[in-house]
Amino acid sequence: MTECATLGSEIQTSSLRRWLAVMSLACGTFALVNTEFLPIGLLSPIAHALNVSEGQAGWAIMLPGLVAALAAPLLMLFSRKLNRRTLLLLLSSAIILSNAIAMFAHTFPALLLGRLILGIGVGGFWAFAIPAGRRLVSEAQSSRAISLISAGVAVGTVAGVPAGAFIGELFGWRMAFTINTVLAVAVFIYQWAALPSLPAQNSLGLGSLLTVAKIKGVRRGLIIGIFMAAAQFSAYTYLEPWLRFQVRLSASDLSLLLMGYGAAGLIGTFLTEVTVREFGVKKAFLGNILLLACSVLIASQLSNSIMAASILVILWGLAFGALPVCLNIWIYQAAPAMFESGSALMVCVFQIALACGAFFGGLLADTQGTSAAFILGGVLALLAGLSIFISQPRQSEIKPQ
């Protein structure tokens, strides 16, 4: 049996209940992104409260990525026969715990402990949520399901980062984590009610991960994912201090612009289904990564213009909203019968690249200024574009072991 079985072999539920279940996974990605990226909108107040620099505070973004990179393949190996509903609920509970620890953290190591636990949730949820959602719908609806679940990234950016920055300004950064804890509990309850039983379809092991890694289209997708994630988070992690201290936006304008970034990302996410259908995933992927590269590189040189910086940040959000969807569709097209294993590998390399991007971006931000971190992100995005240009998400005939 393959990992992406036909719809007829899946749970016998109505179309509405299936889409409600898919929506619960989208809410899960929303809560996940809210939690993972919440420190980005609060980087300066967290750094001030816990007596660290903004670059050091970037560890709150970097650490979950490192842990997630290990968690994704390990969870794949050690949860071979575990019902995916149970697994996803356990991973959602890790998001709740992470927020609760951050809420009460009075030292930076305590905050990092909560972020470490979050990394387990990040690695597992990203590896299993999209393949699980894909199982709930027909083949013809797969791109729509992937787009919907991936939309949690954009919605989390819309609501999470700017709302966190706004709440942090009014009530302190701990209140942002408090509200996020309540939100994560609500999402957990929704998933408990909406998700049907999703038995593991086969006993996945190290052989499955090694087999999918041999597929050319998957390997190319992983390389693209490395450059893409490193590009985004070497720059985006330090967007808040760049807007605050170099562009010199007020707190209210900063929150508004971050919300505009997220709203543009949401539009980009839902446009992706159309652009992939019309132009193919390669052209859609290439166009959006080049838009991101140009936006970030030009922004690094225009911090003295509020209008120009704002337009570029919106374009940046539009581009990045599409990229996770493109990457997931690329991996799915390269290995449709091994999508769960491919997703685990993708999460592993993506999160390592995310952590490295945040780390090296932080070094540049502390020593050369945040514009230098933006330049690094733009160059890496151009490398991702080159990788897409010379690659194809060819479907493989290799069968899962």
Side-chain angles (χ1 to χ4, degrees):
M1 185 180 294
T2 64
E3 291 178 17
C4 294
T6 62
L7 187 64
S9 67
E10 293 297 332
I11 20 296
Q12 299 302 312
T13 56
S14 69
S15 177
L16 176 60
R17 291 200 62 185
R18 289 173 184 242
W19 282 106
L20 286 174
V22 171
M23 181 62 73
S24 78
L25 296 175
C27 290
T29 61
F30 164 66
L32 187 72
V33 169
N34 244 8
T35 304
E36 185 174 11
F37 300 153
L38 191 62
I40 292 176
L42 302 166
L43 209 61
S44 297
I46 288 175
H48 182 264
L50 301 181
N51 298 313
V52 294
S53 70
E54 278 83 1
Q56 290 172 317
W59 275 78
I61 305 298
M62 183 183 73
L63 184 62
L66 291 175
V67 176
L70 296 173
L74 289 177
L75 285 169
M76 179 68 69
L77 296 176
F78 292 105
S79 62
R80 299 181 185 183
K81 299 182 179 180
L82 184 62
N83 189 293
R84 292 326 188 212
R85 177 183 186 272
T86 302
L87 178 58
L88 288 165
L89 289 172
L90 287 172
L91 294 169
S92 291
S93 68
I95 300 173
I96 298 172
L97 181 59
S98 169
N99 278 291
I101 292 175
M103 182 172 62
F104 293 109
H106 287 281
T107 65
F108 192 56
L111 177 68
L112 292 182
L113 173 63
R115 306 299 288 176
L116 184 150
I117 294 171
L118 174 66
I120 299 172
V122 169
F125 204 88
W126 276 124
F128 294 103
I130 291 178
R134 165 63 195 88
R135 286 173 59 182
L136 290 166
V137 299
S138 67
E139 181 73 22
Q141 296 173 317
S142 60
S143 292
R144 184 170 301 170
I146 291 172
S147 296
L148 183 60
I149 296 171
S150 298
V153 176
V155 178
T157 308
V158 170
V161 176
F166 182 70
I167 292 168
E169 288 289 337
L170 292 180
F171 306 108
W173 62 272
R174 296 182 196 281
M175 179 57 70
F177 280 101
T178 302
I179 294 174
N180 213 41
T181 303
V182 175
L183 174 66
V185 170
V187 170
F188 178 88
I189 294 171
Y190 177 22
Q191 290 176 341
W192 182 277
L195 283 176
S197 176
L198 289 167
Q201 291 182 318
N202 54 13
S203 182
L204 300 173
L206 183 60
S208 295
L209 294 176
L210 294 176
T211 298
V212 78
K214 295 177 183 178
I215 299 172
K216 185 176 181 180
V218 172
R219 290 201 309 272
R220 294 292 179 87
L222 297 179
I223 292 170
I224 294 165
I226 289 172
F227 285 125
M228 181 185 106
Q232 169 69 3
F233 292 98
S234 61
Y236 182 62
T237 304
Y238 306 99
L239 177 58
E240 182 265 346
W242 181 75
L243 292 173
R244 186 186 296 270
F245 299 117
Q246 290 195 245
V247 181
R248 299 188 182 279
L249 287 181
S250 66
S252 59
D253 287 342
L254 189 152
S255 297
L256 186 63
L257 183 54
L258 289 176
M259 189 171 294
Y261 172 99
L266 184 59
I267 293 170
T269 297
F270 286 111
L271 282 179
T272 307
E273 182 187 355
V274 177
T275 56
V276 168
R277 185 171 63 246
E278 294 295 323
F279 305 107
V281 67
K282 179 174 179 175
K283 290 181 179 178
F285 211 169
L286 183 59
N288 282 291
I289 198 69
L290 291 178
L291 178 59
L292 185 149
C294 293
S295 300
V296 173
L297 285 172
I298 296 172
S300 70
Q301 305 302 311
L302 290 178
S303 57
N304 61 333
S305 171
I306 293 178
M307 178 61 71
S310 300
I311 292 172
L312 291 166
V313 167
I314 296 299
L315 292 175
W316 180 358
L318 183 69
F320 186 72
L323 293 178
V325 184
C326 289
L327 183 57
N328 275 292
I329 293 175
W330 183 292
I331 297 295
Y332 175 69
Q333 289 185 1
M338 305 186 70
F339 189 31
E340 198 170 85
S341 296
S343 291
L345 282 180
M346 183 191 70
V347 171
C348 179
V349 300
F350 189 95
Q351 294 293 335
I352 289 175
L354 183 160
C356 290
F359 176 73
F360 288 108
L363 288 180
L364 288 174
D366 279 348
T367 58
Q368 306 296 323
T370 49
S371 291
F374 278 35
I375 292 172
L376 173 63
V379 171
L380 290 170
L382 290 176
L383 291 175
L386 178 62
S387 300
I388 296 168
F389 182 74
I390 63 176
S391 305
Q392 287 288 347
R394 296 185 180 91
Q395 184 167 324
S396 172
E397 298 299 324
I398 295 178
K399 302 297 182 183
Q401 298 179 347

